[in-house]
Amino acid sequence: MGKKSYSSSTWRGWRYVQPRYYIKRPKRLALVLVVCISLTWFVYDRQSLNREHQEDILRLKEEVTRLQNTLDDIKGHMKGSAEIIQNDKKNNKFSKGISDEDDPINLQRREKVKEAMLHAWTSYEKYAWGKDELKPQSMNGVDSFGGLGATLVDSLDTLFIMGLDSQFQRAREWIAKSLYFNKNIEVSVFETTIRVLGGLLSAYDLSGDEVFLEKARDLADKLLPAWNTPSGIPYNRINLAYGNTNNARWTRGNSILADSGSEQLEFIALSQRTNDPKYQEKAEKVIKELHRTFPEDGLLPIYLNPLTGTKSSGAITFGAMGDSTIAAQYAENKCQVACLAFPSFYEYLLKAWIQGNKTEMVKFYREMWEASMRGLQSLIRKSTPSSFVYITEKLGNSFFDKMDELACFVPGMLALGSSGYGPGEGDKFMSLAEELAWTCYNFYQSTPTKLAGENYYFRKGEDMTVGTSWNIQRPETIESLFYLWRFTKNKTYQEWGWNIFQAFEKNSRIETGYVGLKDVTTGAKDNMMQSFFLAETLKYLYLLFSPPSVIPLDEWVFNTEAHPLRIVPRNAHQEGLSVDEEEKFPRHLHGRKEGRMGYK
């Protein structure tokens, strides 16, 4: 019975899979087809959803990975920023509260300038390490100043102020191990003082590292024989190994005022830091000699006889004095009576007063500077038709309507010195500073490249016309914009500085550094990165976009190569110097440094 039942059941189930069963029953066939299609669609749909799900999961994983990497980058940047801030606090004790004073635009611009400095420095490190200067286009170094690593030493304080610590440390190691001065080479006393001695002293004041002071003292000892003359006025060139001295042939044996009277800030600072008065005594003997016959209008001749101390008469200029322009005049016998200069020599009269903390003891410096500023006013003219204020040059009784870009340090000097006047007089000099700064800014804006030529002529009805058309990355205009911004807080000066910086970026930056221009009208490039581009131009730009707490001007004074020296009160007893009431002698200034065109 059971067996029969099983057979019957099996048969009934089997018939449902036989095609002929459904042929006879079309409705059931349709139902089966619907069921099969539905099952197929369900399975396919599940598989598709599963594939899409897997793809979604993969995409999500990739997104999570990307976000994680982004988060890591952000953390890294935050850590780097924190390290920079910590380094700034550690290294730049003068910049307390910088974050509270800063604004986003200045921060961004300052970082751009810092990146430019890093590009210039990295190129120097790669192609000219230990050499005086880099020739970017030929990618090699050249010893323009006797092989003393001028760019390296010149850049020390810029690296420090910008917080480029690893670069500063590498430079410090080179100086400790490779910089020495017992060399059979002839150097300019002036250039070596402002660039190398000034750079070493500034690095010491900023970092406190004794190696810089030791090197500074060693160098000064090599330079001192230049002052061993009957008058105390130094020769301008010296052999470091043997102490042999001389002056350039084209000066006919004379010393240049700007060179001879422009080492005082550095030598006084060295005496203060070493407690050895000999450096200050040598440097100030020059001023003592000049002060005896200092004229009422403060206009001194460009040439001094180192044997007799006598002065010559001739041309007066606030610009290039004693470099290529005057040398060429001498070579062509156009300056027979000697040329008189009114360059940034007087900058040091003012800054010696500031370096001495503006005390009664150094009041005579200020008095001499004010006399010189009265003389300056006799050289001021206005162009037509735009009324640009400019400084003429004077040869004998004749005036020449020419102004060098070098003279564009004057607005900054006037701004720096204006606070020492009474309200009315101070406002007058500040107004003159701002008018001259506008002229200097237009030296840049008037050319196709927006970079200034070396000098300009002012002819009636023509305003300014480029004379010598090269640009060698000079800092004077930017220097003045920095001082004007510090004293007026007028952001216009920051905007002008930013425009000049962008012009340098556009025209002077190449892959292997920064170069000057042979011609500011065509943009043709030369082959030299001046050491003062790193020491001054980029430093003043960086400070232009920094809060006043970074190198405050009541605590620091800049030498003519933009090396900040800490202000230390002068004390006659501590210095071992004799300064009496009848013979207070001032300290004189510098001539602006030379630049070289590197065409090859």
Side-chain angles (χ1 to χ4, degrees):
M1 185 68 182
K3 182 178 180 181
K4 182 179 177 181
S5 177
Y6 172 80
S7 299
S8 175
S9 176
T10 301
W11 169 250
R12 283 197 296 270
W14 176 252
R15 65 180 178 172
Y16 293 122
V17 299
Q18 297 297 319
R20 58 177 176 271
Y21 173 81
Y22 294 100
I23 292 173
K24 294 179 181 180
R25 300 170 179 82
K27 290 184 177 180
R28 293 187 178 183
L29 176 62
L31 179 61
V32 170
L33 290 174
V34 169
V35 171
C36 289
I37 291 171
S38 297
L39 286 172
T40 302
W41 178 258
F42 177 78
V43 172
Y44 175 79
D45 184 57
R46 293 299 93 194
Q47 291 176 339
S48 297
L49 287 173
N50 186 56
R51 284 195 299 272
E52 292 175 1
H53 179 63
Q54 293 296 327
E55 291 173 358
D56 288 341
I57 290 174
L58 181 61
R59 282 196 296 270
L60 286 171
K61 287 182 177 180
E62 291 174 349
E63 184 67 14
V64 168
T65 301
R66 187 186 67 79
L67 290 173
Q68 185 63 47
N69 291 336
T70 302
L71 181 61
D72 291 341
D73 288 342
I74 292 172
K75 288 180 178 179
H77 287 309
M78 290 175 66
K79 181 179 179 181
S81 298
E83 289 175 351
I84 290 173
I85 292 171
Q86 290 301 317
N87 286 334
D88 284 343
K89 290 180 179 179
K90 177 182 177 182
N91 294 330
N92 303 324
K93 298 181 178 65
F94 45 78
S95 60
K96 295 177 181 178
I98 184 171
S99 59
D100 297 331
E101 302 176 60
D102 228 341
D103 69 66
I105 294 177
N106 281 342
L107 177 61
Q108 183 183 47
R109 289 176 175 181
R110 191 165 66 246
E111 287 303 309
K112 289 289 186 182
V113 176
K114 181 176 178 178
E115 190 279 327
M117 175 64 187
L118 191 58
H119 176 65
W121 175 261
T122 302
S123 299
Y124 170 77
E125 258 193 303
K126 184 174 182 180
Y127 301 112
W129 184 246
K131 295 289 186 179
D132 285 334
E133 291 179 305
L134 166 65
K135 301 182 80 170
Q137 300 220 59
S138 54
M139 294 179 286
N140 65 288
V142 59
D143 285 332
S144 315
F145 301 101
L148 303 179
T151 292
L152 190 150
V153 181
D154 237 356
S155 301
L156 284 168
D157 47 14
T158 306
L159 294 172
F160 190 93
I161 291 168
M162 291 185 181
L164 296 171
D165 300 330
S166 59
Q167 291 80 5
F168 178 84
Q169 287 302 323
R170 287 197 294 274
R172 186 261 181 212
E173 290 305 312
W174 184 89
I175 287 169
K177 297 177 181 178
S178 303
L179 181 61
Y180 64 97
F181 306 109
N182 190 28
K183 292 185 174 184
N184 185 20
I185 54 171
E186 186 176 276
V187 300
S188 162
V189 176
F190 168 69
E191 296 286 352
T192 305
T193 297
I194 66 170
R195 295 177 194 249
V196 184
L197 183 59
L200 292 169
L201 287 169
S202 181
Y204 171 71
D205 279 358
L206 289 165
S207 70
D209 193 327
E210 291 287 337
V211 70
F212 299 121
L213 184 59
E214 292 169 4
K215 294 290 183 179
R217 187 167 193 163
D218 186 19
L219 174 58
D221 287 340
K222 295 292 184 182
L223 296 175
L224 278 183
W227 279 264
N228 293 338
T229 65
S231 68
I233 293 170
Y235 284 100
N236 298 149
R237 301 192 63 80
I238 189 169
N239 182 293
L240 292 181
Y242 300 108
N244 301 328
T245 56
N246 66 79
N247 286 326
R249 290 183 180 178
W250 56 266
T251 68
R252 299 183 179 180
N254 289 310
S255 296
I256 300 170
L257 170 66
D259 285 13
S260 302
S262 304
E263 292 93 1
Q264 284 66 40
L265 289 179
E266 296 82 2
F267 277 77
I268 290 171
L270 183 59
S271 280
Q272 290 175 331
R273 285 143 186 78
T274 60
N275 293 316
D276 188 340
K278 68 181 180 183
Y279 308 106
Q280 181 168 336
E281 287 172 348
K282 287 284 189 181
E284 286 207 317
K285 187 176 180 181
V286 179
I287 309 308
K288 187 176 181 180
E289 182 68 27
L290 295 175
H291 185 239
R292 287 194 171 98
T293 56
F294 196 73
E296 290 186 8
D297 65 359
L299 306 183
L300 291 177
I302 195 174
Y303 295 119
L304 306 172
N305 188 312
L307 301 178
T308 65
T310 55
K311 311 175 185 69
S312 307
S313 60
I316 299 170
T317 169
F318 262 89
M321 51 49 32
D323 56 16
S324 58
T325 303
I326 303 299
Q329 289 180 332
Y330 238 112
E332 297 174 18
N333 294 317
K334 292 181 179 179
C335 203
Q336 300 285 351
V337 189
C339 294
L340 203 169
F342 205 130
S344 48
F345 162 82
Y346 291 91
E347 174 189 351
Y348 271 35
L349 281 179
L350 173 63
K351 290 183 175 179
W353 175 66
I354 295 171
Q355 185 186 42
N357 246 327
K358 307 177 184 179
T359 61
E360 188 68 23
M361 184 177 182
V362 292
K363 185 179 178 181
F364 57 89
Y365 287 106
R366 175 76 194 194
E367 292 171 347
M368 290 181 70
W369 181 78
E370 289 187 7
S372 302
M373 294 308 99
R374 290 192 292 273
L376 163 67
Q377 292 178 80
S378 69
L379 303 177
I380 298 297
R381 301 288 186 275
K382 281 190 177 183
S383 73
T384 56
S386 301
S387 296
F388 287 117
V389 175
Y390 62 97
I391 306 169
T392 60
E393 296 183 355
K394 185 178 180 182
L395 179 59
N397 293 320
S398 300
F399 292 88
F400 296 90
D401 295 311
K402 169 181 168 288
M403 179 176 170
D404 293 343
E405 196 282 336
L406 278 165
C408 287
F409 81 94
V410 173
M413 178 184 67
L414 292 174
L416 183 63
S418 64
S419 61
Y421 287 106
E425 196 74 0
D427 292 343
K428 182 180 72 175
F429 278 100
M430 181 61 80
S431 177
L432 176 58
E434 294 190 285
E435 289 182 299
L436 286 169
W438 171 241
T439 300
C440 291
Y441 177 60
N442 277 277
F443 285 172
Y444 286 81
Q445 292 300 296
S446 62
T447 71
T449 58
K450 306 300 181 185
L451 290 177
E454 184 74 356
N455 52 55
Y456 287 77
Y457 289 91
F458 294 83
R459 300 180 178 92
K460 289 184 179 180
E462 296 183 14
D463 283 328
M464 60 181 68
T465 305
V466 176
T468 304
S469 61
W470 67 60
N471 177 286
I472 54 173
Q473 310 161 315
R474 290 199 184 277
E476 284 75 19
T477 297
I478 298 166
E479 174 184 353
S480 285
L481 296 180
F482 158 71
Y483 281 113
L484 284 165
W485 175 74
R486 280 285 179 98
F487 286 105
T488 68
K489 299 301 185 291
N490 187 340
K491 289 183 176 293
T492 297
Y493 300 118
Q494 291 180 315
E495 294 303 318
W496 293 357
W498 180 246
N499 291 339
I500 294 172
F501 172 70
Q502 289 181 304
F504 276 122
E505 287 292 287
K506 181 179 180 181
N507 296 282
S508 292
R509 180 167 178 154
I510 63 175
E511 186 177 351
T512 52
Y514 286 85
V515 295
L517 300 185
K518 297 178 183 179
D519 191 332
V520 294
T521 59
T522 66
K525 293 175 172 56
D526 70 14
N527 186 25
M528 183 68 72
M529 186 170 77
Q530 308 287 344
S531 86
F532 54 67
F533 181 69
L534 291 79
E536 299 187 74
T537 307
L538 293 179
K539 182 190 289 130
Y540 280 128
L541 278 166
Y542 185 83
L543 293 174
L544 180 62
F545 303 117
S546 299
S549 59
V550 181
I551 312 292
L553 295 178
D554 59 345
E555 298 178 20
W556 300 81
V557 61
F558 289 91
N559 85 336
T560 191
E561 191 77 2
H563 295 309
L565 302 171
R566 190 177 292 278
I567 295 172
V568 178
R570 287 178 59 126
N571 185 302
H573 300 292
Q574 290 178 354
E575 293 171 355
L577 300 175
S578 175
V579 183
D580 55 49
E581 287 298 321
E582 289 189 324
E583 200 170 35
K584 295 174 181 175
F585 44 96
R587 180 176 334 61
H588 278 223
L589 279 163
H590 82 268
R592 303 302 285 193
K593 51 269 157 196
E594 296 179 6
R596 291 142 312 287
M597 296 297 288
Y599 290 162
K600 296 181 179 180

